[in-house]
Amino acid sequence: MTEAIIDAATLLQQSAVTSSYSVLSCYGTNGFTQEHQAAIRSLPHLKEIIFAFDGDDAGRKAVAKYAALLRDQLPQVVISSLELPAGDDVNSVFLSHEPGVLEHLLNERKDFFASSEKVITTPATVATSVVVSPGLDTGNPYKLGYSTEKINYYVQGGLSKVLDSMKVTLVVERRDNGQKSRNKVDLYEDRQIDKLAREVGERLQLDVSLLETDLHRLTDLLDSHREKELVPPVAD
């Protein structure tokens, strides 16, 4: 799935791509429509969605947003992303590099989510996966937890019942060395999430785009949990 039509057209000219993959173009970073989603959901044998968006901040943010959306809709499908050079797109990489560069990028694509360990290889090989549970740990209402392969997230003190915000005290912990970052943030504010991801990524040496994806996923989980908690019990 590409960001622009010219990138899709470039991929469609590569027999190494079209022999194994279908190509779908969005209409820019904000152009992933309901029609795109319906087309993807209609594919009965879909195994993987590969994002080939531009190697810039807007492209990375769009991939984080749409990858999280598609993971919720199609949890059984692998979601991966091409690692394009900074500032480049599929077409510019094709024009400025040696033949075969796009096939190389496809073979080197990365699984987008830290919550899975997937071996993504060429279509001739079988992919395997070990998935970390994506749910919210609500065992302690004053320390809600969410874990991925590399990171633990803890919401200290529980959730406010004010529905127009999601102000929390959030602890982000690296699982390999126990390093932590503690922050107060309103998860309903995208700009605060973006800022937090950059600061935590720099502090703990973690991938910023994966942090953004995790934080958006955590927000959705907390939102659903709070809604359930606020629904009054049904009388017999």
Side-chain angles (χ1 to χ4, degrees), residues 185-226:
V185 61
D186 187 346
L187 294 174
Y188 276 0
E189 294 287 339
D190 285 347
R191 284 180 292 185
Q192 290 191 33
I193 287 181
D194 293 345
K195 180 182 178 182
L196 177 62
R198 290 194 301 271
E199 292 178 350
V200 173
E202 182 177 352
R203 192 174 305 144
L204 301 185
Q205 296 299 298
L206 293 167
D207 186 276
V208 173
S209 61
L210 290 178
L211 281 164
E212 289 178 348
T213 301
D214 285 351
L215 290 170
H216 284 293
R217 174 61 176 163
L218 174 60
T219 303
D220 290 340
L221 291 169
L222 292 172
D223 213 3
S224 298
H225 173 67
R226 182 165 64 177

Side-chain angles (χ1 to χ4, degrees), residues 3-223:
E3 181 176 323
I5 293 174
I6 189 172
D7 298 323
T10 301
L11 290 172
L12 287 170
Q13 295 175 40
Q14 315 307 312
S15 59
V17 175
T18 57
S19 63
S20 301
Y21 306 95
S22 298
V23 180
L24 179 66
S25 174
C26 294
Y27 306 125
T29 54
N30 295 315
F32 182 53
T33 66
Q34 294 291 333
E35 287 76 13
H36 287 102
Q37 295 178 51
I40 291 171
R41 290 196 300 270
S42 70
L43 300 172
H45 304 296
L46 181 65
K47 296 180 179 178
E48 183 178 358
I49 297 170
I50 306 169
F51 284 95
F53 277 34
D54 296 359
D56 56 19
D57 191 48
R60 288 188 289 271
K61 287 182 178 179
V63 171
K65 176 181 177 181
Y66 299 138
L69 173 66
L70 288 168
R71 182 173 66 170
D72 286 342
Q73 297 180 357
L74 301 165
Q76 77 282 5
V77 174
V78 175
I79 298 178
S80 58
S81 180
L82 301 192
E83 294 194 335
L84 295 174
D88 272 324
D89 54 42
V90 168
N91 185 61
S92 66
V93 168
F94 172 71
L95 294 175
S96 60
H97 289 71
E98 295 294 323
V101 62
L102 297 180
E103 185 177 2
H104 171 74
L105 289 173
L106 273 170
N107 291 337
E108 296 297 317
R109 66 193 182 275
K110 303 297 183 182
D111 179 3
F112 192 79
F113 292 104
S115 59
S116 304
E117 295 177 354
K118 297 185 179 74
V119 179
I120 300 177
T121 56
T122 57
T125 5
V126 177
T128 60
S129 63
V130 179
V131 181
V132 175
S133 174
L136 186 69
D137 181 358
T138 59
N140 182 347
Y142 300 105
K143 189 177 180 181
L144 302 171
Y146 172 60
S147 296
T148 66
E149 179 199 359
K150 297 180 180 179
I151 309 170
N152 294 324
Y153 299 87
Y154 302 108
V155 176
Q156 302 280 22
L159 295 176
S160 167
K161 295 183 180 180
V162 179
L163 298 182
D164 62 351
S165 67
M166 184 69 75
K167 295 179 180 179
V168 298
T169 299
L170 182 66
V171 179
V172 182
E173 177 188 39
R174 281 188 58 147
R175 298 183 67 171
D176 58 351
N177 60 19
Q179 284 186 303
K180 296 178 182 178
S181 175
R182 297 173 175 85
N183 308 270
K184 290 185 180 293
V185 61
D186 187 346
L187 294 174
Y188 276 0
E189 294 287 339
D190 285 347
R191 284 180 292 185
Q192 290 191 33
I193 287 181
D194 293 345
K195 180 182 178 182
L196 177 62
R198 290 194 301 271
E199 292 178 350
V200 173
E202 182 177 352
R203 192 174 305 144
L204 301 185
Q205 296 299 298
L206 293 167
D207 186 276
V208 173
S209 61
L210 290 178
L211 281 164
E212 289 178 348
T213 301
D214 285 351
L215 290 170
H216 284 293
R217 174 61 176 163
L218 174 60
T219 303
D220 290 340
L221 291 169
L222 292 172
D223 213 3

